[in-house]
Amino acid sequence: DAKTTQPNSMESNEEEPVHLPCNHSTISGTDYIHWYRQLPSQGPEYVIHGLTSNVNNRMASLAIAEDRKSSTLILHRATLRDAAVYYCILRDYSGGGADGLTFGKGTHLIIQP
Amino acid sequence: DSGVTQTPKHLITATGQRVTLRCSPRSGDLSVYWYQQSLDQGLQFLIQYYNGEERAKGNILERFSAQQFPDLHSELNLSSLELGDSALYFCASSPGGQHYEQYFGPGTRLTVT
């Protein structure tokens, strides 16, 4: 699986936007970029995914670089409940369906009140 | 609430013993995944089942096995337990295939003493 690189931790203030970066320089044409997060004492939770175009949903936005070698997860207005570990994961859609997620260390997001 | 349930929530057992963890997927989901989360290894994919058949194996030890039953619930069996098997075990489900996000349960915390 292609590898992703994320900062170990980031800190932001409540009610401010947060930009979480992810580098994936070896991404292939069939890799989708997925983001999951894990809140304290909970299982991981799907956030958003995309291939080439920027994507928006109720939780976040995903901005994908034109060369697809990096992406940024954007939380438009962080709340204390967004404090979590955020994982950027590449998923190859060319396979036959076997698709366990490969988690890295993720980014530990700290939100200050 | 993801709709995925796992039992038990906590399990304490001794080295050398065998335990069974149970997972009920979201209604209609055909794929079940098992993951292990430990402090030193992070979140690791163990095994995937799709509609009763094993679909993919990750870093699953030979002492561990799983199955998915006709009603689609799944069990993860851990035998000859060692101290290092102490971890959080998560189950996730999806409709099937890499095109879908995975929904994680709350996990089972296993402590081996």
Side-chain angles (χ1 to χ4, degrees):
Chain A
D1 289 336
K3 187 177 166 62
T4 62
T5 304
Q6 299 177 251
N8 288 334
S9 66
M10 290 183 64
E11 199 167 313
S12 184
N13 295 320
E14 198 176 10
E15 299 187 5
E16 290 186 357
V18 179
H19 292 237
L20 295 164
C22 180
N23 287 320
H24 28 78
S25 59
T26 59
I27 192 170
S28 73
T30 54
D31 284 331
Y32 275 70
I33 302 156
H34 284 241
W35 284 81
Y36 282 74
R37 72 180 185 180
Q38 186 173 21
L39 279 64
S41 303
Q42 294 189 28
E45 173 187 34
Y46 166 80
V47 177
I48 200 167
H49 76 279
L51 180 64
T52 55
S53 304
N54 294 344
V55 184
N56 301 295
N57 67 19
R58 64 174 180 83
M59 289 180 71
S61 295
L62 176 60
I64 301 172
E66 197 169 333
D67 63 5
R68 300 210 322 127
K69 293 185 185 299
S70 65
S71 60
T72 302
L73 179 71
I74 302 165
L75 307 179
H76 294 286
R77 199 159 168 265
T79 69
L80 294 177
R81 292 180 67 245
D82 291 319
V85 179
Y86 287 78
Y87 298 96
C88 171
I89 299 169
L90 299 183
R91 300 187 71 187
D92 183 0
Y93 278 34
S94 67
D99 62 333
L101 297 172
T102 301
F103 288 87
K105 295 191 184 301
T107 296
H108 183 199
L109 177 63
I110 300 163
I111 304 294
Q112 297 289 356
Chain B
D1 185 357
S2 66
V4 177
T5 60
Q6 290 187 245
T7 56
K9 286 187 178 177
H10 302 278
L11 199 47
I12 301 174
T13 190
T15 54
Q17 295 299 304
R18 172 189 169 95
V19 297
T20 298
L21 313 184
R22 182 188 169 103
C23 168
S24 293
R26 291 189 322 156
S27 176
D29 283 356
L30 298 178
S31 270
V32 169
Y33 310 78
W34 286 97
Y35 293 84
Q36 179 193 59
Q37 185 171 32
S38 61
L39 281 173
D40 53 346
Q41 298 287 340
L43 260 166
Q44 291 196 96
F45 166 65
L46 296 179
I47 196 164
Q48 176 196 3
Y49 277 79
Y50 176 81
N51 203 20
E53 300 289 328
E54 182 184 304
R55 178 67 69 93
K57 273 186 173 179
N59 298 320
I60 190 166
L61 300 172
E62 286 193 10
R63 300 183 284 108
F64 296 0
S65 64
Q67 54 185 325
Q68 186 179 28
F69 295 87
D71 67 352
L72 300 177
H73 90 272
S74 178
E75 293 180 355
L76 179 67
N77 301 296
L78 315 176
S79 61
S80 302
L81 285 167
E82 302 175 358
L83 295 177
D85 298 327
S86 297
L88 267 169
Y89 291 84
F90 290 106
C91 165
S93 76
S94 80
Q98 65 269 61
H99 299 266
Y100 297 96
E101 57 263 33
Q102 296 181 17
Y103 295 86
F104 284 76
T108 293
R109 180 173 294 281
L110 173 66
T111 302
V112 182
T113 62

